[in-house]
C-alpha cells in the first residue's frame, strides 16, 4: 500500500511544530522513502580514513541500502565506489575490510578494475569487438560515488547529485569533529579497538532522539546508578575513582544538572548537547597530556579544546560524537523497527594511552551489547516501538519548552532539557523527505 | 568439589539458577570476567575492546543492579541455560588449573530467546576453601558480529 510516495503534503503533515505522528517510527513505506531520500540527499558518515591506511585497503559499508566500497588510492586519496561489478552486478568484495592489491578482480567472470574503478581487463576480449560494450555503462568500469568529503579523516558521502555542499550542510556543528581531532596534539586520530555492534529492535529516529534526551537518565538508569552509588558510598567526593565509577556515576545527576548543561541546535537537524558542561567534564586531569596540548596549540587554545566536552554532538542523520571520551556512535537503519548501532573508539596521536583506555571503557560500559547502562535504554526503545501500535493517541509529544518563535533562526542556544533538539531533527527529516532524490 | 570440572558445572548452574551472589563469591579478589570482542583471536583486553571486561567491583554492580526493582529491562526477568560440553584441562600446576569448556548459551526473556555459542576458558586457583576464579574468559563464536542485548552472564 502506498500512501506517502507521491504525497509530500502527507509526509510533511506528520511533523507538527510540537509533536510527530507515530507513522514516522512504524511505517515500512516511510522507511523505504527514507532510504531513497533522506539517506541519499544528506551527507552520511561512511567511515574513517585510518581504516584504509595503505593503497588497495578497502572497507565495505551499506548506506541507504546500497553496498559501497571505500578504497585507498595509490596517490593517497580515498575513493568511494558502488560495490557492484560492471558486468553482472557481483559484489567485488564480500569481506568487511581487507587489501585488494593493485586491482579488483571480480570473482564471477574475472573482469578487473583499477583501484579508482577504471576498467582494466576482461577475458575473451575478442568477443566484445564490434559490440557496444565500451559505449554503454557496463564498459565504463565501476560506478563511482561522486560526492565524497574527507573531513579531517572522517569520510562522508552524499549519494544524490543535487543537494547542499558538505560545508553548507553541516555548518558550525563541524566544530564537534574539530574538537575531537584537536584533542590529539598531532591533530590525528585512528580508529582503534574494534567496533561494538548492537542490534536494537526500534526505529532509528527513536535512538537518535534519545541521544538528545536529558530527562531520561534519572529514571531510566536508576538501577545502574543506584547500584554504583551504593558501591561507592563512604568515599569522599575527592577520592580518585576507578575509571568505571568515574564514567557511570554522573549518569545519576539530577534534572537541574542536565538542564543547566545547555544545548544548541543548528540548521539541518544537527545539535550539540552540553554546551556548558556534561557528564564527561570531570574526568581526571592529566598534566603531561595538557602540557603536550599546550605545546601544540598554545595555552589558551589548548584550554578551550579541553574544556569543551559536550554530552553528544549530532551530525544528522547518522553520527553522534563525544569529543571526550573520543568515541562516536553511528546509526545504521536496517528496517522501520530494526537499527544497527555501532560504537567506535579512537586513539589520539601524541596523547597518553589512558585516553584510548577511556574511550574503550566508556563504550564497553555504556554501548556494548553487554553494557550495564544500555540494557534499560534498549528495553525502553523496544517498549516504545510496541507501545506506539496502541490506538487512541497517534502522536508523540515534543512540547517541552516549545516556543513558536524557535523556527525563525537557524542556530538557537537553549536549556539542556528542551525538546527543541528533537524538534529540530524532525524538521530536518520533513525537509529531506519532501525532496525527491536524484541518484 | 576437588575436581575442577565439577566446579565448572557448578558455576554455570549457579548462573542458571539466578544465584548471582553465590556466583560472585566464586571469584578471587583479583578475578576478572572477560568477553573479548575478537573472540578466541584476541590476545589481551587492553589493545582491543571487549564486550565485557569486568573486575569484582563491576560484577558486583551488575549483580546489585539486577536486584533493583527499577532494572526496567528485567520486566519480565531474563533466564539463562548453559549447555556445557565436558571440560578439558589445558594446563595444571600445584595450585592452579586452566580448563576449556565449549558451550551453548540460551538467554530467554518474554517471548524472545537468544542463542550464543563458544568456549569458556577458566583460570582457577586453589584456596583453603576450594577453587576460585582468577579469570573466566568467554570466546564467542561470532563475537565481532552485531548482537542483541545480553542481559545476564554467559
Amino acid at each position: 500500500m502506498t500512501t506517502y510516495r507521491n504525497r509530500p503534503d502527507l509526509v510533511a503533515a506528520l511533523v507538527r511544530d510540537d509533536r510527530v505522528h507515530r507513522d514516522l517510527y512504524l511505517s515500512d513505506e516511510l522507511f523505504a522513502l527514507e532510504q531513497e531520500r533522506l539517506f541519499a540527499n544528506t551527507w552520511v558518515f561512511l567511515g574513517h580514513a585510518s581504516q584504509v591506511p595503505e593503497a588497495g585497503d578497502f572497507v565495505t559499508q551499506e548506506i541507504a541500502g546500497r553496498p559501497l566500497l571505500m578504497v585507498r588510492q595509490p596517490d593517497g586519496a580515498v575513493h568511494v565506489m558502488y560495490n557492484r561489478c560492471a558486468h553482472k552486478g557481483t559484489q567485488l568484495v564480500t569481506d568487511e575490510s581487507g587489501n585488494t592489491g593493485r586491482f579488483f578482480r571480480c570473482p564471477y567472470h574475472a573482469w578487473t578494475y583499477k583501484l579508482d574503478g577504471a576498467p582494466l581487463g576482461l577475458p575473451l576480449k575478442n568477443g566484445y569487438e564490434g559490440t557496444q560494450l565500451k559505449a554503454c555503462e557496463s564498459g565504463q568500469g565501476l560506478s563511482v560515488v561522486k560526492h565524497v568529503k574527507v573531513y579531517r579523516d572522517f569520510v562522508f558521502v552524499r549519494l544524490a547529485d543535487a543537494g547542499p555542499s558538505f560545508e553548507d550542510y553541516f555548518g558550525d556543528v563541524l566544530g564537534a569533529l574539530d574538537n575531537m581531532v584537536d584533542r590529539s596534539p598531532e591533530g590525528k586520530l585512528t580508529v582503534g579497538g574494534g567496533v561494538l555492534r548492537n542490534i536494537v529492535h526500534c526505529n532509528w529516529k527513536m535512538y537518535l532522539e534519545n541521544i538528545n534526551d536529558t530527562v531520561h537518565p534519572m529514571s531510566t538508569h536508576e538501577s545502574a546508578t543506584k547500584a554504583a552509588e551504593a558501591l561507592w558510598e563512604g568515599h569522599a567526593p575527592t577520592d580518585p575513582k576507578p575509571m568505571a565509577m568515574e564514567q557511570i556515576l554522573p549518569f545519576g545527576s539530577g534534572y537541574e544538572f542536565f538542564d543547566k548543561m545547555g544545548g544548541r541546535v543548528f540548521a539541518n537537524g544537527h545539535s550539540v548537547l552540553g554546551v556548558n558542561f556534561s557528564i564527561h567534564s570531570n574526568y581526571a586531569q592529566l598534566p603531561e597530556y595538557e602540557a603536550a596540548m599546550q605545546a601544540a596549540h598554545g595555552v589558551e587554545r589548548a584550554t578551550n579544546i579541553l574544556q569543551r566536552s559536550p554530552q553528544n554532538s549530532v551530525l544528522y542523520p547518522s553520527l553522534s560524537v563525544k569529543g571526550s571520551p573520543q568515541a562516536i556512535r553511528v546509526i545504521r537503519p536496517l528496517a522501520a523497527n530494526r537499527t544497527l548501532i555501532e560504537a567506535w573508539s579512537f586513539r589520539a596521536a601524541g596523547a597518553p594511552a589512558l585516553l584510548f583506555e577511556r574511550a574503550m571503557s566508556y563504550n564497553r560500559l555504556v554501548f556494548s551489547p553487554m553494557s550495564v547502562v544500555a540494557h534499560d535504554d534498549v528495553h525502553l526503545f523496544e517498549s516504545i516501538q510496541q507501545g506506539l501500535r496502541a490506538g487512541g493517541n497517534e502522536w508523540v509529544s515534543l512540547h517541552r519548552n516549545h516556543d513558536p518563535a524557535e523556527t525563525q533562526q537557524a542556530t538557537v542556544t537553549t536549556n539542556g532539557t528542551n525538546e527543541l533538539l528533537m524538534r529540530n531533527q524532525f524538521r530536518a527529516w520533513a525537509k529531506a523527505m519532501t525532496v525527491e532524490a536524484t541518484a | 568439589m576437588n575436581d575442577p570440572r565439577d566446579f565448572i558445572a557448578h558455576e554455570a548452574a549457579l548462573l542458571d539458577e539466578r544465584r548471582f551472589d553465590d556466583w560472585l563469591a566464586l571469584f578471587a579478589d583479583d578475578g576478572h570476567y572477560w568477553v573479548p570482542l575478537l573472540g578466541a583471536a584476541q590476545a589481551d583486553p587492553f589493545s582491543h575492546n571487549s564486550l565485557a571486561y569486568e573486575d569484582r567491583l563491576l560484577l558486583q554492580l551488575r549483580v546489585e543492579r539486577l536486584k533493583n526493582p527499577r532494572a526496567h529491562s528485567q520486566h519480565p526477568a531474563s533466564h539463562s541455560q548453559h549447555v556445557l560440553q565436558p571440560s578439558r584441562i589445558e594446563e595444571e600446576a600445584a595450585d592452579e588449573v586452566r580448563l576449556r569448556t565449549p558451550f551453548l548459551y540460551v538467554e530467554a526473556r518474554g517471548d524472545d530467546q537468544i542463542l550464543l555459542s563458544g568456549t569458556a576458558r577458566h583460570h582457577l586457583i586453589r584456596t583453603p576453601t576450594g577453587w576460585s576464579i582468577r579469570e573466566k574468559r568467554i570466546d564467542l563464536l561470532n563475537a565481532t558480529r552485531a548482537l542483541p542485548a545480553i542481559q545476564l552472564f554467559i
Side-chain angles (χ1 to χ4, degrees):
Chain A
M1 190 181 78
T2 63
T3 306
Y4 295 113
R5 177 169 290 280
N6 299 311
R7 294 294 304 274
D9 55 322
L10 293 183
V11 173
L14 298 170
V15 178
R16 303 261 177 99
D17 281 352
D18 51 15
R19 69 202 122 131
V20 293
H21 192 268
R22 66 173 181 174
D23 276 12
L24 260 76
Y25 308 91
L26 301 181
S27 160
D28 293 333
E29 188 196 1
L30 286 173
F31 181 82
L33 291 176
E34 283 172 348
Q35 294 286 79
E36 290 173 32
R37 297 177 186 173
L38 181 81
F39 286 92
N41 288 337
T42 56
W43 286 91
V44 177
F45 175 70
L46 188 153
H48 194 261
S50 66
Q51 295 174 278
V52 288
E54 306 294 335
D57 284 351
F58 66 84
V59 165
T60 56
Q61 181 62 58
E62 203 166 292
I63 288 179
R66 296 158 217 209
L68 304 180
L69 190 52
M70 170 170 90
V71 190
R72 181 72 75 172
Q73 302 297 306
D75 69 357
V78 172
H79 285 200
V80 181
M81 296 169 301
Y82 291 90
N83 187 7
R84 175 214 194 277
C85 178
H87 184 202
K88 301 271 187 187
T90 319
Q91 291 185 85
L92 290 166
V93 290
T94 46
D95 284 330
E96 283 175 36
S97 62
N99 185 289
T100 190
R102 274 179 289 180
F103 57 89
F104 288 102
R105 181 179 186 269
C106 178
Y108 195 13
H109 299 96
W111 286 29
T112 53
Y113 305 92
K114 294 183 189 168
L115 295 183
D116 64 1
L120 195 58
L122 44 77
L124 299 174
K125 213 173 167 185
N126 293 344
Y128 292 95
E129 274 173 26
T131 74
Q132 291 299 307
L133 174 68
K134 272 193 182 156
C136 92
E137 282 169 317
S138 299
Q140 311 293 311
L142 303 180
S143 302
V144 173
V145 175
K146 281 176 270 182
H147 308 284
V148 178
K149 176 72 181 183
V150 183
Y151 183 83
R152 305 198 73 175
D153 281 350
F154 287 80
V155 182
F156 293 81
V157 295
R158 193 191 71 213
L159 297 173
D161 270 336
S165 71
F166 177 82
E167 286 76 12
D168 285 347
Y169 180 67
F170 284 121
D172 289 340
V173 80
L174 288 175
L177 289 182
D178 290 331
N179 179 259
M180 187 153 79
V181 182
D182 290 342
R183 283 170 174 266
S184 154
E186 296 169 23
K188 191 152 189 63
L189 301 181
T190 51
V191 177
V195 174
L196 291 162
R197 294 196 174 96
N198 297 263
I199 298 282
V200 185
H201 295 269
C202 76
N203 187 272
W204 67 274
K205 295 185 289 300
M206 199 185 291
Y207 192 94
L208 196 62
E209 236 176 299
N210 184 72
I211 288 175
N212 275 331
D213 186 286
T214 50
V215 178
H216 80 284
M218 270 190 61
S219 41
T220 298
H221 299 306
E222 188 177 331
S223 65
T225 56
K226 289 281 182 257
E229 283 160 14
L231 289 179
W232 197 245
E233 212 179 329
H235 288 82
T238 48
D239 283 358
K241 300 181 184 77
M243 188 179 283
M245 282 290 166
E246 191 176 68
Q247 293 181 324
I248 291 178
L249 285 169
F251 279 87
S253 303
Y255 293 125
E256 196 187 350
F257 175 90
F258 288 107
D259 194 55
K260 287 190 170 159
M261 69 164 56
R264 187 171 297 147
V265 298
F266 305 90
N268 301 322
H270 317 304
S271 50
V272 174
L273 176 64
V275 288
N276 302 320
F277 54 83
S278 79
I279 61 169
H280 308 303
S281 295
N282 288 323
Y283 293 164
Q285 308 285 311
L286 307 171
E288 278 176 37
Y289 169 56
E290 280 168 39
M293 285 289 286
Q294 289 170 2
H297 298 293
V299 175
E300 194 186 333
R301 184 139 179 270
T303 307
N304 286 341
I305 292 166
L306 294 176
Q307 277 180 351
R308 175 182 167 144
S309 51
Q311 186 99 350
N312 290 305
S313 302
V314 171
L315 279 71
Y316 189 81
S318 70
L319 180 61
S320 171
V321 174
K322 286 180 182 291
S324 162
Q326 298 196 298
I328 62 170
R329 269 175 291 172
V330 189
I331 289 104
R332 314 263 193 205
L334 301 175
N337 60 0
R338 204 154 48 90
T339 304
L340 170 63
I341 307 294
E342 302 172 344
W344 303 38
S345 318
F346 288 89
R347 289 180 205 268
L354 187 79
L355 256 65
F356 178 54
E357 211 181 300
R358 239 176 218 169
M360 287 208 299
S361 162
Y362 191 88
N363 280 338
R364 193 164 64 234
L365 292 168
V366 183
F367 302 135
S368 164
M370 297 187 75
S371 156
V372 71
V373 176
H375 285 151
D376 291 319
D377 283 316
V378 169
H379 164 72
L380 292 168
F381 302 154
E382 297 184 351
S383 160
I384 295 169
Q385 194 71 30
Q386 297 305 316
L388 286 176
R389 291 157 60 212
N393 176 8
E394 296 194 349
W395 295 89
V396 170
S397 162
L398 298 169
H399 291 82
R400 203 167 54 245
N401 299 111
H402 174 247
D403 173 358
E406 69 192 20
T407 53
Q408 286 161 28
Q409 51 192 122
T411 302
V412 180
T413 303
T414 182
N415 54 312
T417 59
N418 192 336
E419 280 172 330
L420 169 61
L421 282 73
M422 300 167 215
R423 292 190 290 274
N424 188 56
Q425 290 178 1
F426 288 108
R427 285 168 190 154
W429 182 91
K431 184 176 153 191
M433 286 290 283
T434 46
V435 174
E436 287 282 344
T438 57
Chain B
M1 201 162 21
N2 201 32
D3 190 327
R5 288 168 291 205
D6 293 336
F7 177 92
I8 302 298
H10 171 65
E11 189 243 344
L14 288 180
L15 286 172
D16 294 346
E17 290 162 19
R18 291 181 64 97
R19 290 165 62 189
F20 299 122
D21 284 317
D22 295 335
W23 175 74
L24 186 59
L26 301 181
F27 279 78
D29 287 343
D30 62 351
H32 279 84
Y33 174 82
W34 181 28
V35 188
L37 183 55
L38 293 177
Q42 190 161 335
D44 66 75
F46 309 108
S47 56
H48 204 89
N49 213 348
S50 301
L51 291 161
Y53 180 63
E54 311 218 327
D55 57 12
R56 279 199 66 139
L57 181 74
L58 276 173
L59 290 176
Q60 177 91 49
L61 199 160
R62 275 181 191 275
V63 169
E64 295 305 321
R65 173 186 170 268
L66 287 170
K67 293 176 189 166
N68 190 311
R70 289 196 174 144
H72 310 294
S73 75
Q74 286 303 294
H75 297 279
S78 304
H79 294 272
S80 66
Q81 178 69 56
H82 288 76
V83 182
L84 306 181
Q85 278 180 236
S87 301
R88 203 177 76 205
I89 292 174
E90 288 189 299
E91 267 182 68
E92 206 169 5
D95 289 319
E96 56 186 304
V97 60
R98 292 173 189 268
L99 305 96
R100 55 187 300 138
T101 313
F103 67 85
L104 294 177
Y105 173 83
V106 184
E107 196 178 274
R109 179 177 164 259
D111 294 330
D112 298 323
Q113 196 163 277
I114 59 169
L115 173 66
L116 300 169
S117 61
T119 300
R121 296 173 67 189
H122 287 77
H123 180 191
L124 306 181
I125 49 169
R126 199 188 293 275
T127 71
T129 52
W131 293 106
S132 194
I133 303 171
R134 175 154 287 158
E135 183 174 272
K136 179 181 181 183
R137 168 181 175 149
I138 310 285
D139 292 334
L140 289 177
L141 186 63
N142 232 357
T144 58
R145 310 309 299 183
L147 294 166
I150 302 164
Q151 307 248 352
L152 301 179
F153 299 92
I154 305 165

